[in-house]
Amino acid sequence: MSGGNELPAFDAPLGEGERLPLARVLAIVGARVPGDVIEVELDADGGREAYEVTVLTARDRRIEITLDARTGRIIDSEED
């Protein structure tokens, strides 16, 4: 692609203050909890942004994974 419309690479380093792209967040969650993503929220609790991703597993369990929006580190995982 050319003309300044290129999307960042999936594994491109982040600049200061940037968030992970949603595709990378979903890949991290999918590796941890297989299933269908049914909800994604971006939250800013305690001064840091976090993605909250809810996954419906094959056994109809709802698992919520919370990830740091910048690093992708999993902060919490709980069953709803």
Side-chain angles (χ1 to χ4, degrees), residues 35-65:
D36 296 322
V37 173
I38 58 173
E39 184 177 17
V40 178
E41 293 181 22
L42 181 62
D43 199 13
D45 283 340
R48 75 172 167 200
E49 290 184 325
Y51 286 105
E52 295 176 354
V53 182
T54 304
V55 177
L56 182 63
T57 70
R59 293 194 170 140
D60 290 330
R61 293 174 47 211
R62 293 171 59 107
I63 309 292
E64 184 177 289
I65 308 288

Side-chain angles (χ1 to χ4, degrees), residues 2 4 6 17 19 25 33 36 44 50 56 62-63 66 68 71-72 75:
S2 62
E6 293 184 32
R19 306 181 192 109
V25 170
V33 180
D36 296 322
L56 182 63
R62 293 171 59 107
I63 309 292
T66 305
D68 184 286
T71 66
I75 299 168

